[in-house]
Amino acid sequence: MRPDSDIVPLDKRTPGVATIEPLIFPQLERLYARRAEKLRALADKDQEPPVLLNGEYFLFLSHLVEGQKGLVEQSPLAEADRASIRALAAGGYRQDELEDTLLGLTVWQSAYAQLVESLKPHLQPDIVADLLAGLETPAVLSAQAALLLRGQYDQVDPGLSVLLWAALSVCWAQAMSQHEDMPGIGRATHCPCCGARPVASLVLGGDREGLRYLQCSLCETRWHRVRGVCVNCHSSADLQYYTLSEKAPDQAEACGECKTYIKVFRLDYDPELEAVSHNLAYQLLDSLVVQEGFTHLGFSPFAFPG
Ligand SMILES: [Zn+2]
Ligand SMILES: [Zn+2]
């Protein structure tokens, strides 16, 4: 692992004991710093290979992620808010009163307001006005947040969704860090801490050489899943691996049994790779696998469908 990686080295106090941690929590400031750096680099139009999205959008995202980093550093979550968020997640967001609970939980609304504030110098005034309008109607914002948490992305205002997700994410990530281990992690397709979909899976290098973890799109936790087994249906009968070139750090693991796929980012090949920014920038592999009839299990927090 790189010295500035957000994945801390294994605890070596018990030599000789091979440990596979069920969960790896990120060092959030490092994670956001690296992600912002990668997004800034992607904004450079002369990228090789060329990226598919507009450079301005990557620059906007880099400012957004800097804003998340600032929140963690300057306004860390109080324990009471962490507990409230963990309780919400434990209910699977199925509660009838989810919107009301979110309305009463002001910490994510403050995060949203502060993110808008941090983006002000980088956005057109009319876009800022639209984003601020959400704050004038916290009930509407809470209803939209509830839809995001329930995975009903296509029903969320596309102008709000990226920023709203970023606000929820920075709170959820702090709430779930150091979450106690729980049963069922080894078979979880969605995040065992917060229930969100994975961004992708990572094959780690360094002292965790070859281990595979899924990375949560909302709370950034990584959870262990053995390789060679479909992360969705648990079958190993018909797994196929797609890649654009030999030793490419991105692969797609597709399952012929359940017709789903998940990206596999090989940090053992490229320790520099940052999952969220890389996944957003390089989607050619996805389009090829989708053409083969597979459905994506992963979710990109900066590219909402619809
Ligand atoms: Zn999560
Ligand atoms: Zn499967």
Side-chain angles (χ1 to χ4, degrees):
M1 283 296 128
R2 288 167 45 115
D4 64 343
S5 167
D6 67 275
I7 302 176
V8 296
L10 273 176
D11 186 343
K12 293 282 178 49
R13 282 174 298 185
T14 46
V17 178
T19 351
I20 297 180
E21 310 124 293
L23 299 171
I24 301 177
F25 299 105
Q27 299 226 316
L28 278 178
E29 292 96 328
R30 287 186 183 183
L31 178 144
Y32 290 136
R34 289 203 60 227
R35 186 171 295 163
E37 177 193 328
K38 292 287 178 185
L39 289 163
R40 273 193 300 276
L42 286 162
D44 178 352
K45 293 193 170 52
D46 299 325
Q47 280 289 314
E48 195 56 49
V51 296
L52 300 174
L53 289 162
N54 181 322
E56 298 274 314
Y57 184 56
F58 286 111
L59 209 52
F60 158 76
L61 292 177
S62 74
H63 295 310
L64 180 60
V65 174
E66 288 284 359
Q68 289 178 301
K69 179 168 173 282
L71 280 169
V72 171
E73 288 168 344
Q74 289 148 29
S75 331
L77 242 58
E79 184 45 47
D81 288 324
R82 291 172 190 252
S84 301
I85 291 171
R86 285 200 292 265
L88 264 186
Y93 315 114
R94 287 182 294 273
Q95 312 88 326
D96 290 337
E97 66 283 5
L98 178 61
E99 287 179 27
D100 288 340
T101 310
L102 285 167
L103 190 58
L105 185 66
T106 54
V107 64
W108 65 272
Q109 298 163 43
S110 309
Y112 177 88
Q114 289 180 62
L115 288 176
V116 176
E117 200 57 40
S118 72
L119 286 168
K120 260 186 185 171
H122 311 291
L123 288 175
Q124 302 286 342
D126 56 332
I127 295 176
V128 173
D130 284 349
L131 293 170
L132 289 172
L135 289 165
E136 290 167 13
T137 51
V140 173
L141 209 58
S142 301
Q144 298 275 297
L147 290 169
L148 283 184
L149 292 172
R150 287 179 168 144
Q152 295 165 308
Y153 309 127
D154 54 350
Q155 294 178 44
V156 182
D157 177 348
L160 272 182
S161 47
V162 169
L163 205 65
L164 197 46
W165 184 273
L168 292 168
S169 180
V170 70
C171 296
W172 260 240
Q174 293 175 78
M176 299 304 163
S177 66
Q178 312 312 321
H179 203 298
E180 288 161 25
D181 290 356
M182 55 199 80
I185 293 170
R187 292 177 65 81
T189 307
H190 287 194
C191 176
C193 294
C194 80
R197 283 164 62 182
V199 176
S201 64
L202 314 172
V203 172
L204 302 183
D207 51 11
R208 297 182 182 87
E209 182 86 42
L211 297 180
R212 188 249 291 267
Y213 284 81
L214 271 61
Q215 178 166 329
C216 179
S217 57
L218 183 65
C219 80
E220 315 277 2
T221 302
R222 284 93 173 197
W223 69 100
H224 180 252
R225 290 295 307 265
V226 293
R227 291 165 69 182
V229 175
C230 171
V231 299
N232 184 51
C233 74
H234 317 292
S235 168
S236 53
D238 187 14
L239 284 181
Q240 301 155 49
Y241 291 87
Y242 292 83
T243 180
L244 295 175
S245 62
E246 202 184 337
K247 283 273 178 186
D250 30 8
Q251 305 173 342
E253 181 181 89
C255 174
E257 295 282 311
C258 69
K259 299 302 278 181
T260 65
Y261 80 96
I262 188 149
K263 297 275 271 293
V264 183
F265 292 143
R266 301 291 305 255
L267 301 193
D268 52 343
Y269 293 174
D270 180 4
E272 297 284 326
L273 190 149
E274 193 284 311
V276 168
S277 51
H278 189 92
N279 188 47
L280 182 68
Y282 303 107
Q283 293 172 9
L284 181 58
L285 181 59
D286 293 84
S287 46
L288 296 175
V289 181
V290 168
Q291 275 173 27
E292 296 289 319
F294 296 101
T295 302
H296 197 189
L297 291 170
F299 169 69
S300 178
F302 294 144
F304 283 86

